[in-house]
Amino acid sequence: MLDLRLDQLYARNWYVLLCKPNQNHIASRHLAKMPVDIFMPHHMADIRKGGRYRRQRKPLFAGYVFVGGEPQRIPWQRIRTTPGVSRVIGSGARGPAQVPCDVIEGLVHRCDEQGMLQTEPDLSVGDKIKFMSGPFAEFVSTIEHIDADQRVHALLNLMGAQRRVAVDPSQITRLG
């Protein structure tokens, strides 16, 4: 797991790698030998196997791994040919696309030491919530459902009709 202080988060540039199907762990194991920071958050998901459901640790962003470091020191050619890595996102004429530090910071703060995404324990069905960021900022609603991936579903009155929206718990706050 990524063990960084906030000042270290801002001192690094972050990029996204697309991994080959089901090879996130292979890619991260090989990337760990390079002079880059690796971040691959996980969550618990219900997986259906043989007609039964069981909880299993899965990457939060299936098929993607974040890498960070100083751009001049990142061995891009080695990364592109790393087993399990398909390509570097945005590696056209402008170079790799940089991920905003606040995205990584938000994810790191919501994960434990093993990289597991921690859920917001104080949210439950029926709670009044206020959207703090995103396209629905300042809207107030009620939680209708929380799915296995910890996405919160709420009904909003948009354009004269009730619409169900799914939102990440980090974008909302519970009202009294």
Side-chain angles (χ1 to χ4, degrees), residues 41-47 54-60 115-119 147-150:
H42 289 80
H43 71 287
M44 295 301 285
D46 291 325
I47 306 298
R54 58 182 258 237
R55 303 226 5 113
Q56 187 175 8
R57 179 182 163 116
K58 301 290 280 180
L60 183 62
M116 285 296 295
L117 188 67
Q118 300 298 300
T119 60
D147 64 21
D149 294 332
Q150 304 306 317

Side-chain angles (χ1 to χ4, degrees), residues 17-20 22 24 40-41 43 58-65:
L17 305 178
L18 175 65
C19 296
K20 294 176 182 173
N22 299 316
N24 291 52
M40 185 172 61
H43 71 287
K58 301 290 280 180
L60 183 62
F61 303 106
Y64 296 94
V65 174

Side-chain angles (χ1 to χ4, degrees), residues 127-158:
D127 286 348
K128 286 270 189 212
I129 57 169
K130 180 178 180 181
F131 292 80
M132 301 307 291
S133 62
F136 307 113
E138 301 301 317
F139 277 71
V140 175
S141 184
T142 303
I143 295 177
E144 181 183 55
H145 174 72
I146 301 174
D147 64 21
D149 294 332
Q150 304 306 317
R151 304 255 326 152
V152 174
H153 298 266
L155 284 177
L156 287 178
N157 189 7
L158 298 173

Side-chain angles (χ1 to χ4, degrees), residues 1 4 6 9 39 104-112 118:
M1 172 59 194
L4 297 175
L6 286 181
L9 279 174
F39 182 51
I104 300 296
E105 177 189 353
L107 285 169
V108 167
H109 283 293
R110 292 194 52 218
C111 291
D112 65 10
Q118 300 298 300

Side-chain angles (χ1 to χ4, degrees):
M1 172 59 194
L2 186 63
D3 182 29
L4 297 175
R5 297 187 323 261
L6 286 181
D7 59 330
Q8 291 174 318
L9 279 174
Y10 288 109
R12 287 175 170 74
N13 292 325
W14 291 93
Y15 306 93
V16 181
L17 305 178
L18 175 65
C19 296
K20 294 176 182 173
N22 299 316
Q23 294 191 20
N24 291 52
H25 296 291
I26 293 169
S28 64
R29 187 172 57 241
H30 287 279
L31 290 166
K33 300 172 188 172
M34 296 184 195
V36 294
D37 293 316
I38 305 154
F39 182 51
M40 185 172 61
H42 289 80
H43 71 287
M44 295 301 285
D46 291 325
I47 306 298
R48 185 176 178 183
K49 200 170 198 174
R52 298 174 67 189
Y53 286 95
R54 58 182 258 237
R55 303 226 5 113
Q56 187 175 8
R57 179 182 163 116
K58 301 290 280 180
L60 183 62
F61 303 106
Y64 296 94
V65 174
F66 296 101
V67 293
E70 297 175 31
Q72 306 81 6
R73 294 181 176 249
I74 297 177
W76 291 114
Q77 189 57 40
R78 278 182 59 200
I79 287 175
R80 286 183 183 95
T81 59
T82 298
V85 173
S86 178
R87 68 186 183 96
V88 178
I89 300 296
S91 61
R94 299 168 122 194
Q98 194 170 338
V99 177
C101 256
D102 58 339
V103 171
I104 300 296
E105 177 189 353
L107 285 169
V108 167
H109 283 293
R110 292 194 52 218
C111 291
D112 65 10
E113 297 81 31
Q114 288 77 37
M116 285 296 295
L117 188 67
Q118 300 298 300
T119 60
E120 297 290 329
D122 59 346
L123 294 177
S124 60
V125 174
D127 286 348
K128 286 270 189 212
I129 57 169
K130 180 178 180 181
F131 292 80
M132 301 307 291
S133 62
F136 307 113
E138 301 301 317
F139 277 71
V140 175
S141 184
T142 303
I143 295 177
E144 181 183 55
H145 174 72
I146 301 174
D147 64 21
D149 294 332
Q150 304 306 317
R151 304 255 326 152
V152 174
H153 298 266
L155 284 177
L156 287 178
N157 189 7
L158 298 173
M159 297 183 280
Q162 291 281 352
R163 305 277 184 213
R164 177 186 268 187
V165 295
V167 65
D168 189 85
S170 65
Q171 295 180 324
I172 60 174
T173 186
R174 192 178 76 160
L175 297 176

